[in-house]
Amino acid sequence: MECPYLLLDAGGTLLFPDQELIANVAASEGSVLDPERVYEAHFRMLHQYDSHYRAVSAFPPFSMRSFYRDILMLAGAPEEIAERAVDTLMVRHEEISLWTYTKPWVEETLAALKRSGVRMAVISNSDGRVFQQLDACGITPYMEAIFDSHLVGFEKPDRRFFDHALKELGLDPAQAVYVGDFFHLDVLGANGAGIGALHLDPIGAYTDWPGVHLRDIRALPECLASVVHHPAGFDLFPRL
């Protein structure tokens, strides 16, 4: 059995808010943060959004400013410092974006997947800059295509976004698996288009949620190898 075609989220999967920059800006305002706590705070934020949606079938009000402010606070910054630091961060985000950071193991994992013959593309809710962000982190050579919601005209969880990508790639939904960190956008969004999905949960916050949860993409090579040699094949990747 061939490996499934991997459709990958960008933010939280391949790219992350620049934890070093965020910690440095907080330090300039008087709050010393561990950059790894900034990394973890991003995923705690997503779990809060997912939990809110699970409870009331709607996401709480969202803005990039409040998102970064709350990350700062979850990472340990007092509210008054977070409010000041986020002003600086928003200037940087508007000029360049804060999603210009990746972990060393991201490219290592993608290289291993590509060597084993896995084909990959990105489907991302973004603002028109995801190609540049991925390219700056050395990720674009591993991707056959990059679909940015701002450019396509649909965003996750709208199945039309996934359908567009499948059509462009010449894939049937059963041939693909989506990988992302935002349960209601990524997992259920992909499922709505008939695509099996794997959820990334670096902080172990979703242990009681349905589906298959991996710590991060470093688990993908072993996960895919087990599927290729399993009689159930792609059915191991749930469509909830």
Side-chain angles (χ1 to χ4, degrees):
M1 178 186 298
E2 293 184 2
C3 278
Y5 195 111
L6 281 188
L7 302 172
L8 297 152
D9 177 35
T13 299
L14 305 174
L15 303 172
F16 311 96
D18 191 329
Q19 62 188 52
E20 301 289 345
L21 174 63
I22 292 171
N24 288 339
V25 170
S28 73
E29 295 291 346
S31 182
V32 177
L33 304 181
D34 180 350
E36 283 303 305
R37 287 194 66 189
V38 175
Y39 171 79
E40 294 167 2
H42 165 241
F43 295 101
R44 290 172 64 190
M45 279 294 301
L46 291 190
H47 183 253
Q48 288 184 13
Y49 286 134
D50 269 329
S51 297
H52 188 278
Y53 190 93
R54 195 182 197 187
V56 301
S57 298
F59 291 118
F62 175 85
S63 71
M64 289 308 302
R65 190 183 191 284
S66 63
F67 180 76
Y68 292 129
R69 181 201 63 210
D70 291 348
I71 283 179
L72 283 159
M73 292 172 61
L74 285 170
E79 183 175 1
E80 64 274 15
I81 289 180
E83 288 286 357
R84 295 199 302 269
V86 78
D87 290 333
T88 301
L89 293 173
M90 285 305 299
V91 171
R92 160 64 187 250
H93 179 73
E94 294 300 325
E95 290 178 348
I96 302 174
S97 172
L98 290 179
W99 297 86
T100 52
Y101 173 83
T102 193
K103 297 284 191 180
W105 43 260
V106 168
E107 187 173 359
E108 293 168 4
T109 302
L110 297 177
L113 289 167
K114 190 168 185 178
R115 284 195 301 270
S116 66
V118 177
R119 300 171 63 194
M120 295 172 280
V122 166
I123 300 178
S124 173
N125 281 2
S126 190
D127 59 5
R129 298 184 289 182
V130 73
F131 179 91
Q132 289 84 352
Q133 294 160 1
L134 291 164
D135 199 47
C137 292
I139 292 172
T140 52
Y142 302 99
M143 302 299 152
E144 294 186 345
I146 295 169
F147 300 96
D148 185 315
S149 63
H150 182 79
L151 303 178
V152 173
F154 306 112
E155 62 180 27
K156 299 176 294 183
D158 192 326
R159 71 163 295 162
R160 291 175 294 180
F161 192 14
F162 296 97
D163 289 341
H164 171 83
L166 291 172
K167 182 177 180 180
E168 290 293 311
L169 295 167
L171 295 173
D172 183 273
Q175 295 175 291
V177 170
Y178 193 79
V179 181
D181 63 323
F182 204 149
F183 191 86
H184 283 92
L185 296 189
D186 295 330
V187 174
L188 298 187
N191 288 171
I195 304 169
L198 297 170
H199 179 243
L200 302 181
D201 178 19
I203 60 173
Y206 292 81
T207 54
D208 62 339
W209 289 53
V212 176
H213 309 277
L214 307 177
R215 178 183 176 188
D216 52 54
I217 67 166
R218 285 176 289 186
L220 282 175
E222 181 178 354
C223 179
L224 294 178
S226 67
V227 168
V228 168
H229 297 99
H230 194 284
F234 294 170
D235 288 340
L236 291 178
F237 298 140
R239 295 166 180 80
L240 303 176

